Amino acid sequence: MKRETDQIIQSIEQAAGNLVYSSESDRPFKPFFLEGGGDGWPYAASEFARRMNLADNAVLEERTLHDFFSRHIENTDPYDVETQRIRPRYEALRDLLDSELSSAKVFRAGKIEIRCWIVGADSSGNLAGLETIAIET
């Protein structure tokens, strides 16, 4: 990774520190990086699946950053003090991903245990971002 990519990954990792993606389970965010994966970005879910070596029959869903983070930003309980306290951190994370990564979006794969990648191209032509798991029964 080039220095710029290292700095972007570090910034994203720091912004996501101690935050979780809440579904039926709370799962941490982990850094995601695919060297050279930004070639031709943005591309369709089928191309992302191919580059990630997912099964040919893998069903991928695409979402926007706004939709993905809405459960932690727009759709929060206004009377839950803790949720409101950390809400600005989710907003800052979403905004950082949007500003540092070109055409950032979310791909989700699976049923019940859903792998989620929040990805975009960095300035060096790589894919970078975060990954997590959502549990939805």
Side-chain angles (χ1 to χ4, degrees), residues 31-135:
F32 170 80
F33 176 78
L34 181 61
E35 188 170 359
D39 181 40
W41 183 260
Y43 41 77
S46 58
E47 178 62 15
F48 184 77
R50 185 188 72 74
R51 292 184 188 216
M52 294 300 296
N53 296 317
L54 299 177
D56 289 340
N57 62 348
V59 177
L60 260 70
E61 174 187 1
E62 187 176 323
R63 291 195 177 170
T64 66
L65 285 177
H66 181 84
D67 289 343
F68 184 77
F69 282 106
S70 67
R71 74 175 55 233
H72 295 289
I73 298 172
E74 288 85 15
N75 299 329
T76 58
D77 180 351
Y79 300 106
D80 183 330
V81 174
E82 180 60 18
T83 299
Q84 294 308 310
R85 184 186 69 76
I86 62 172
R87 180 180 169 174
R89 289 201 53 218
Y90 284 99
E91 291 172 324
L93 176 59
R94 180 194 60 197
D95 294 347
L96 176 69
L97 291 161
D98 191 40
S99 68
E100 291 294 331
L101 302 174
S102 174
S103 301
K105 57 183 165 179
V106 177
F107 290 111
R108 296 167 30 106
K111 294 180 181 177
I112 301 176
E113 186 172 297
I114 302 165
R115 291 180 68 189
C116 305
W117 295 271
I118 307 149
V119 298
D122 70 13
S123 60
S124 300
N126 305 302
L127 281 189
L130 295 167
E131 61 181 295
T132 191
I133 294 176
I135 304 295

